[in-house]
Amino acid sequence: MTTQAPAAPLLFVHAHPDDETLTTGITMARYARAGHPVHVLTCTLGEEGEVVPPELAHLDVHHDDALGPHRREELRGAMAALGVTHEVLGEGDGRLSRYRDSGMAGLGTAPGPDTFVAADLEDAAALVAAVIRRVRPAVVVTYDRHGGYLHPDHVQTHRVTCAAVASLPVPERPLLYAVLTPASWAREDREWLARHLPADSSWTLPDPDGDYPPSVVADELVTHEVVDPSLVPLQALALRSHATQLTVDGRVYALSNDIAARLSGREGFARLDPVTGDLLAASHPDTTAGATGSTTTGSSTGAPRCADLTEGTPT
């Protein structure tokens, strides 16, 4: 009788509560349902975030400054919905986190010494490396060098996670991925919103011909994908736990900026070099028999994408 090897663990490293479900909720749910241990490490509690519901506005930094503990509980609810484990970087011994949210760039205020963006890179990387050694993931997922959309904490999360993986002996390094969106997907999502958002909606439609965040890249740079629209209701359920940060309506959500965004049920990735932080040279597999069982659609170049993050990038 053959003994089946245990499913490979995955670790997702994110900057603030809600980032994990917005950018990798489908992937985490898919792997958790397939029996993989999935763990989320959140680097700050998002204390500087805006608050959407007026009845909770008192939590923000301009009033009670109690948003961090509240968002910690929102994170618990979201992770329970997705069926994954979670922790905050440096929590324990009576404190909820080691670092404070740094706030968006361009606000005109210098980040305090306890903020994540001001953290010593070596010290923060050591904390993340300790989590990696404990969780022993085969795969670590975080942001690209632009942090997805240039938030200072997201950029720092990329730097710290790369340094943590690079600090491990080469044989012990997990596969490291950045979350990316193929340009064709991003445009399709905006065109879908134009057809499906009710005319009387108070949310703004994003322009398909407008600007996109840096994490939207040429299709050929995205080498891996998880596609499962059936998991969107579960992702939406988890997102509703993050009620201070966003509003969900079916397969559409909006942050505090009231710009509509689609829950499309698909997420893209590419391998990172932990030493340089750069994307590894894009290459595509000839076969796509992923352990998650998801289908593979392929890039605009016609090359298929791998459906299993644990398989790495074939050469």
Side-chain angles (χ1 to χ4, degrees):
M1 179 176 179
T2 303
T3 302
Q4 187 174 5
L10 294 90
L11 173 65
F12 294 78
V13 187
H14 285 281
H16 316 105
D18 83 351
D19 293 327
E20 78 298 320
T21 308
L22 284 171
T23 62
T24 57
I26 295 295
T27 301
M28 293 192 298
R30 187 64 188 253
Y31 276 91
R33 285 194 166 191
H36 293 258
V38 176
H39 193 68
V40 174
L41 175 62
T42 308
C43 294
T44 84
L45 290 174
E47 296 91 342
E48 299 288 327
E50 297 181 75
V51 176
V52 173
E55 65 273 16
L56 296 177
H58 64 92
L59 295 172
D60 72 19
V61 69
H62 303 295
H63 297 87
D64 297 345
D65 195 14
L67 187 55
H70 189 92
R71 292 186 73 177
R72 182 67 178 92
E73 295 309 307
E74 290 183 336
L75 180 63
R76 292 185 200 279
M79 298 304 90
L82 294 177
V84 307
T85 57
H86 57 97
E87 65 185 278
V88 178
L89 188 63
E91 69 179 338
D93 296 327
R95 65 183 179 189
L96 294 179
S97 64
R98 171 64 179 83
Y99 302 107
R100 185 179 173 91
D101 178 9
S102 307
M104 286 293 293
L107 296 180
T109 56
D114 59 342
T115 56
F116 189 48
V117 75
D120 179 85
L121 180 61
E122 186 175 338
D123 290 346
L127 291 175
V128 175
V131 176
I132 294 173
R133 291 190 180 95
R134 171 163 41 84
V135 175
R136 299 175 64 87
V139 167
V140 173
V141 177
T142 191
Y143 314 114
D144 67 326
R145 67 166 53 255
H146 303 291
Y149 68 106
L150 299 176
H151 189 294
D153 283 338
H154 286 238
V155 175
Q156 181 77 324
T157 299
H158 163 86
R159 295 175 64 237
V160 167
T161 305
C162 286
V165 173
S167 72
L168 301 173
V170 173
E172 297 177 16
R173 292 177 187 172
L175 300 173
L176 179 62
Y177 289 91
V179 182
L180 298 171
T181 301
S184 63
W185 287 8
R187 185 176 184 87
E188 287 169 8
D189 288 347
R190 291 188 179 185
E191 292 173 344
W192 182 93
L193 286 165
R195 296 192 303 271
H196 291 85
L197 194 69
D200 60 353
S201 174
S202 62
W203 292 344
T204 301
L205 277 171
D207 182 0
D209 294 319
D211 294 333
Y212 291 86
S215 58
V216 175
V217 298
D219 283 35
E220 60 268 20
L221 294 180
V222 180
T223 57
H224 292 68
E225 65 182 10
V226 174
V227 179
D228 194 337
S230 72
L231 291 174
V232 168
L234 181 59
Q235 183 186 28
L237 175 64
L239 283 174
R240 288 189 180 95
S241 290
H242 292 295
T244 62
Q245 301 304 297
L246 53 89
T247 306
V248 183
D249 184 0
R251 292 176 176 261
V252 182
Y253 72 92
L255 301 172
S256 60
N257 57 13
D258 285 338
I259 298 176
R262 181 190 183 191
L263 297 174
S264 64
R266 55 191 182 183
E267 293 161 356
F269 307 90
R271 285 277 307 280
L272 284 171
D273 181 340
V275 176
T276 66
D278 295 330
L279 298 179
L280 293 176
S283 60
H284 298 276
D286 295 326
T287 60
T288 56
T292 63
S294 64
T295 58
T296 298
T297 57
S299 71
S300 62
T301 63
R305 299 189 187 105
C306 186
D308 184 4
L309 295 179
T310 67
E311 290 185 354
T313 305
T315 57

